Amino acid sequence: MPETSPAETGINRRQILVGSAVAVPAIVLSTSIPARATSTNSTFDLTLSATGIATGSPVDVTATVLDSRGDPWAGQVVTFTTSDPAALSFSSTSAVTDSAGQATVSVSAASNATAGTRSITAASGPLSASASIDVFATTATTSTAAGIWYVTISPSGSFALGGSGGITADGTVTRISTSDDSVTATLKVASTTVQVIAISPGNDFALANATSDGNVVRIDLATNTIQAVIPVGANVQGIAISPNGLFAYVGSTDSTISRIDLSTNTVSDTIILPGGTGGTGIAFSPDGTFAYAVNVNNGGAGNTLTRIVTSSNTIDATTSIPSAYSIAMSPDGSFAYVSARNGFIHRIDPTTNQITASISTPGDTVGIDISTDGSFAYSAHPDANVVLRIDTATNTVTATIPISGRPLFVAISPDDSFAYVTRNTAASVARIEWN
């Protein structure tokens, strides 16, 4: 019997809300599951190849038409529209379904689009399906000291601190007001490199690693002055302040973690790591019971993740993670992400210190941060000049965002409304927003 035309039946239509991701300069769209419209005779799906889009990184939009028997329906004309053609454009506004019943076009994002919600709609005859789209814009780029390496946002969200690192580093810490993205102060704390900075839970002081000097510098954030210089004895790597603000762990290239008593600004204990060149990344569990340190060893092949019991400053677990570099702990402590410079991000179960999932990335992965609500993460990839947005529920990349200037580290604001990304060779920090 001949197929009944879709025009002879009604349509059930379903729209879905979407997540988001961001770029520098960029705008972002995302969707979660396929949007679908059905009738007694046919089914119509709308899917995206990625759940985020950024300027310079088009996303495929695919409509799938199935007949009443569930078989692919070839030869059907599908049109594609958006609620804001100035923000989003298609490679073609129509396509014909192939033997698989699919019609695919690509959608691109304009670099000057403003933030807000739009929609994409695909239609074939009376059948249609739509997906809501959140469009995001880069709102500011802040010039910083040469060789900007690291950035962190204060627990209050009112300011950020950036550290100068790499071959052009000048040992400067730059303070940025998050209200207007302006530089409000600079402070020289090292002869060359400041690769990691940690801000206290009370927003009153910060610790910066004067890497080649072998010191940790304590900064009074009320006066933007140096309070103390704490000798550690070797090139300083990662720094993390305990959740109660009473002590800090500092990694060094002599395969040690130093515990610093923040009431006296002195080293109170030293933990010997299993070989390597010290903790490049350190993170605490939310209750401060454990700390997790990434240890670089043997050119990356022997890198490990070490769990430390903070009550005794002893190691109780060590896991091999080739090329591991930095770590971010989820706010609820249920998981952590470890970046690896061999093209992976690994999800860690903190209770076992073991890898539970691995995410493939475009080459070198340096910095990573997890949102306050724990639902997404951002990672920086300097060799590929991109930032990735990761859905933590599925451990999948939902957006690939081109960013020039070798992005190294990313910091998400406490209210999950924006992020700062360092652009090492561009001497700047870019602000990206999604709300």
Side-chain angles (χ1 to χ4, degrees):
M1 292 179 63
E3 289 293 343
T4 303
S5 168
E8 299 176 28
T9 61
I11 308 165
N12 294 321
R13 193 178 288 179
R14 176 160 64 93
Q15 293 186 334
I16 55 174
L17 295 176
V18 297
S20 59
V22 295
V24 183
I27 61 174
V28 177
L29 72 82
S30 61
T31 185
S32 51
I33 60 175
R36 171 174 291 186
T38 62
S39 76
T40 56
N41 296 313
S42 58
T43 300
F44 191 90
D45 287 340
L46 177 64
T47 60
L48 303 180
S49 62
T51 59
I53 188 171
T55 303
S57 183
V59 166
D60 288 340
V61 180
T62 300
T64 302
V65 184
L66 304 179
D67 64 21
S68 59
R69 296 168 303 202
D71 295 329
W73 200 346
Q76 304 303 300
V77 176
V78 179
T79 59
F80 299 88
T81 58
T82 172
S83 61
D84 188 354
L88 301 173
S89 60
F90 299 98
S91 58
S92 176
T93 56
S94 66
V96 177
T97 56
D98 58 17
S99 60
Q102 295 184 333
T104 299
V105 298
S106 62
V107 62
S108 298
S111 60
N112 62 347
T114 57
T117 300
R118 280 79 164 178
S119 64
I120 286 179
T121 298
S124 181
L127 294 174
S128 66
S130 298
S132 296
I133 297 168
D134 290 328
V135 178
F136 300 85
T138 299
T139 59
T141 299
T142 304
S143 296
T144 62
I148 185 72
W149 186 277
Y150 188 84
V151 67
T152 185
I153 298 175
S154 64
S156 67
S158 62
F159 66 92
L161 298 179
S164 177
I167 59 175
T168 60
D170 62 3
T172 298
V173 172
T174 300
R175 181 167 177 153
I176 301 170
S177 170
T178 60
S179 64
D180 61 5
D181 307 301
S182 64
V183 174
T184 59
T186 59
L187 181 66
K188 187 173 178 63
V189 301
S191 58
T192 55
T193 299
V194 181
Q195 289 188 335
V196 179
I197 304 168
I199 300 175
S200 68
N203 304 283
D204 54 340
F205 70 90
L207 300 179
N209 66 349
T211 302
S212 59
D213 302 334
N215 298 323
V216 171
V217 178
R218 178 168 174 154
I219 302 169
D220 184 336
L221 294 176
T223 61
N224 196 54
T225 57
I226 295 175
Q227 282 184 323
V229 177
I230 307 165
V232 176
N235 284 2
V236 183
Q237 303 290 303
I239 297 178
I241 298 174
S242 63
N244 61 15
L246 299 179
F247 67 96
Y249 278 144
V250 178
S252 300
T253 54
D254 59 358
S255 299
T256 63
I257 297 288
S258 298
R259 179 171 175 141
I260 295 177
D261 183 337
L262 294 174
S263 66
T264 61
N265 296 319
T266 57
V267 175
S268 60
D269 205 346
T270 301
I271 304 162
I272 307 299
L273 294 175
T277 57
T280 55
I282 304 171
F284 282 94
S285 60
D287 63 2
T289 301
F290 298 102
Y292 300 80
V294 175
N295 189 30
V296 176
N297 188 24
N298 191 27
N303 291 12
T304 58
L305 177 65
T306 296
R307 187 172 68 182
I308 300 168
V309 181
T310 61
S311 61
S312 60
N313 299 314
T314 56
I315 295 171
D316 79 336
T318 297
T319 301
S320 175
I321 304 179
S323 299
Y325 185 74
S326 65
I327 182 171
M329 179 67 65
S330 66
D332 65 0
S334 63
F335 70 95
Y337 279 137
V338 171
S339 70
R341 305 195 71 165
N342 62 350
F344 287 97
I345 294 170
H346 302 288
R347 184 178 178 123
I348 305 296
D349 180 349
T351 63
T352 63
N353 206 52
Q354 297 296 311
I355 296 172
T356 59
S358 295
I359 305 164
S360 180
T361 67
D364 191 7
T365 306
V366 181
I368 189 166
D369 198 15
I370 300 172
S371 62
T372 300
D373 68 6
S375 67
F376 62 92
Y378 282 95
S379 58
H381 306 269
D383 289 349
N385 280 305
V386 298
V387 165
L388 301 183
R389 181 181 171 110
I390 298 166
D391 182 341
T392 62
T394 59
N395 301 308
T396 56
V397 175
T398 58
T400 299
I401 306 157
I403 300 179
S404 62
R406 286 184 60 80
L408 290 175
F409 280 89
V410 58
I412 301 171
S413 66
D415 65 357
D416 292 340
S417 66
F418 71 93
Y420 280 137
V421 180
T422 59
R423 302 170 69 215
N424 179 247
T425 59
S428 63
V429 171
R431 179 181 179 127
I432 48 182
E433 296 187 350
W434 50 90
N435 285 327

